[in-house]
């Protein structure tokens, strides 16, 4: 049907002309939204307990795939951290300097402290740099596969360097 | 005049060209004149005095006063930063978790519940961060202090 319409269009014939209306007179606008259709799909298939074809478990992992889910993972982790911090600020009785002094009094070794700073800085740096990569994609740039890999490696390199730099401060 | 100063200082961070404006407008000249006057007037006042021992301390006290004034503006910007960061983080996180929900949660009831839960979490987070900014050291200072352990 679509092929027929396209061949007709290619020959420069206007398909809105009345005599061609006969070709698509049976097409009516959809009665349901995409959301409703998806809900119907999921309720029917979970009710029938149908198995889902393996997808993430069998597809070969690639660097862009891993970076994408890491972006989501770091985002959720950072958001949870901020929410935990805010809730602690509301619930805990003492002030922030008190708890910092408490940590200070535990006298952790300098390597442990440096590693902790690295562990805090790493997700922030990664999410920020990959976020910039996303914004560049939103501008429409860098979608070719070699470019995707190149920008990905740059993000990883920047993340490691920045995290080490921040941990050393 | 003070509100103009606040606005100009604030705008510098959002529209870099206003930083140039701040350097060149009558406002900055007014600022310089304002400070110059504060330095000069004590001199004029002490010129008529018999003992001149206090002239040095009036200069240094007006220098301290102008530095205090600058410190107040810096603090205002930092407070602005604290609340802006709190707002930006919670909103970005709220929208982000919302996208995760849209990807993995199906069914009208479950979606509604999940979205309500996230809204509650985000509101509480924002309120908690603002509380921290007001009653405690503030976000920027908190990160600086944490890094100094």
């Amino acid at each position: 049907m679509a092929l027929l319409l396209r061949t007709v269009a290619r020959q420069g014939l206007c398909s809105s002309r009345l005599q061609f209306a006969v070709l698509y007179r049976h097409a009516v606008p959809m009665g349901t939204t995409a959301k409703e259709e998806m809900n119907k799909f999921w309720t029917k298939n979970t009710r029938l307990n149908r198995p889902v074809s393996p997808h993430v478990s069998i597809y070969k992992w690639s660097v862009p795939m891993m970076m994408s889910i890491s972006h989501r993972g770091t985002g959720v982790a950072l958001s949870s951290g901020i929410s935990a911090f805010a809730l602690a600020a509301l619930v805990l009785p003492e002030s922030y300097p008190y708890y910092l002094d408490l940590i200070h009094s535990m006298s952790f070794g300098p390597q442990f402290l440096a590693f902790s700073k690295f562990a805090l800085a790493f997700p922030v740096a990664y999410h920020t740099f990959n976020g910039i990569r996303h914004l560049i994609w939103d501008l429409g740039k860098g979608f070719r596969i070699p470019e995707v890999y190149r920008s990905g490696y740059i993000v990883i390199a920047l993340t490691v360097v920045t995290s080490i730099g921040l941990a050393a401060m | 005049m003070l509100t103009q100063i606040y606005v100009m200082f604030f705008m510098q961070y959002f529209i870099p060209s206003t930083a140039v404006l701040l350097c060149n407008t009558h406002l900055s000249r007014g600022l310089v004149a304002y400070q110059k006057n504060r330095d000069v007037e004590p001199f004029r006042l002490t010129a008529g005095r018999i003992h001149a021992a206090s002239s040095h301390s009036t200069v240094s006290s007006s220098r301290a006063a102008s530095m205090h004034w600058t410190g107040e503006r810096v603090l205002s910007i930092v407070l602005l930063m604290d609340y802006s960061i709190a707002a930006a983080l919670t909103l970005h996180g709220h929208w982000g978790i919302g996208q995760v929900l849209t990807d993995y949660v199906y069914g009208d009831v479950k979606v509604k519940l999940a979205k309500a839960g996230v809204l509650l979490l985000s509101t509480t987070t924002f309120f908690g961060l603002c509380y921290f900014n007001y009653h405690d050291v503030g976000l920027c200072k908190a990160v600086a202090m944490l890094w100094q352990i």
Side-chain angles (χ1 to χ4, degrees):
Chain A
M1 183 75 236
L3 194 61
L4 191 61
L5 276 173
R6 282 214 304 273
T7 9
V8 163
R10 207 176 292 130
Q11 283 155 26
L13 293 167
C14 181
S15 59
S16 64
R17 279 189 4 211
L18 281 171
Q19 63 250 51
F20 292 105
V22 69
L23 292 169
Y24 55 85
R25 63 162 180 236
H26 63 282
V28 292
M30 290 282 288
T32 50
T33 64
K35 204 171 176 181
E36 287 163 1
E37 290 290 320
M38 277 312 297
N39 280 338
K40 275 163 63 182
F41 171 86
W42 281 109
T43 47
K44 175 172 153 191
N45 285 288
T46 48
R47 180 176 46 86
L48 293 169
N49 222 356
R50 285 177 176 168
V52 178
S53 306
H55 45 297
V56 280
S57 44
I58 55 157
Y59 202 91
K60 182 175 178 180
W61 280 95
S62 63
V63 169
M65 271 169 84
M66 290 189 273
M67 290 188 71
S68 177
I69 190 61
S70 301
H71 189 76
R72 177 159 276 188
T74 50
V76 172
L78 289 168
S79 197
S80 312
I82 289 171
S83 290
F85 178 81
L87 286 170
L90 286 172
V91 161
L92 290 175
E94 300 291 342
S95 69
Y96 183 75
Y98 174 84
Y99 294 110
L100 274 191
D101 283 336
L102 204 59
I103 296 173
H104 187 73
S105 69
M106 292 185 194
S107 302
F108 292 118
Q111 306 93 331
F112 179 78
L113 288 172
F115 177 76
S116 306
K117 289 182 186 175
F118 181 83
L120 277 173
F122 192 84
V124 177
Y126 178 83
H127 195 81
T128 307
F129 289 125
N130 207 37
I132 296 172
R133 186 167 166 240
H134 264 285
L135 289 172
I136 296 174
W137 285 332
D138 292 341
L139 289 170
K141 294 168 145 25
F143 277 107
R144 287 199 216 102
I145 294 297
E147 290 170 339
V148 170
Y149 274 84
R150 200 180 309 138
S151 59
Y153 292 135
I154 291 172
V155 162
I156 294 173
L158 279 172
T159 302
V160 172
V161 168
T162 307
S163 303
I164 292 176
L166 284 175
M169 278 169 67
Chain B
M1 163 120 168
L2 268 171
T3 42
Q4 279 178 297
I5 294 169
Y6 272 110
V7 168
M8 282 302 234
F9 264 103
F10 182 78
M11 293 273 275
Q12 277 189 82
Y13 293 91
F14 287 77
I15 306 168
S17 52
T18 55
V20 176
L21 276 175
L22 185 61
C23 298
N24 297 335
T25 56
H26 68 284
L27 253 185
S28 64
R29 269 180 255 133
L31 270 176
V32 172
Y34 177 58
Q35 288 189 326
K36 272 199 188 134
N37 280 336
R38 294 171 71 203
D39 284 331
V40 162
E41 271 176 18
F43 271 130
R44 292 214 192 98
L45 287 173
T46 53
R49 280 207 229 165
I50 300 167
H51 37 82
S54 51
S55 68
H56 180 72
S57 64
T58 46
V59 171
S60 56
S61 74
S62 51
R63 198 177 299 135
S66 71
M67 280 181 65
H68 177 78
W69 183 90
T70 313
E72 283 182 336
R73 308 309 121 181
V74 168
L75 182 64
S76 306
I77 304 287
V78 170
L79 279 176
L80 222 57
M81 278 293 110
D82 277 342
Y83 288 96
S84 313
I85 289 176
L89 284 178
T90 40
L91 191 58
H92 182 69
H94 180 71
W95 281 338
I97 306 279
Q99 287 293 328
V100 175
L101 283 182
T102 313
D103 278 351
Y104 301 138
V105 178
Y106 307 112
D108 284 329
V109 175
K110 278 194 257 182
V111 165
K112 258 200 167 70
L113 271 174
K115 290 248 160 159
V118 169
L119 183 62
L120 180 66
L121 183 66
S122 296
T123 324
T124 316
T125 304
F126 183 63
F127 185 69
L129 289 178
C130 289
Y131 178 87
F132 185 80
N133 283 334
Y134 190 80
H135 289 284
D136 217 317
V137 291
L139 284 171
C140 297
K141 188 89 176 89
V143 174
M145 284 169 77
L146 179 68
W147 234 247
Q148 272 160 16
I149 289 187

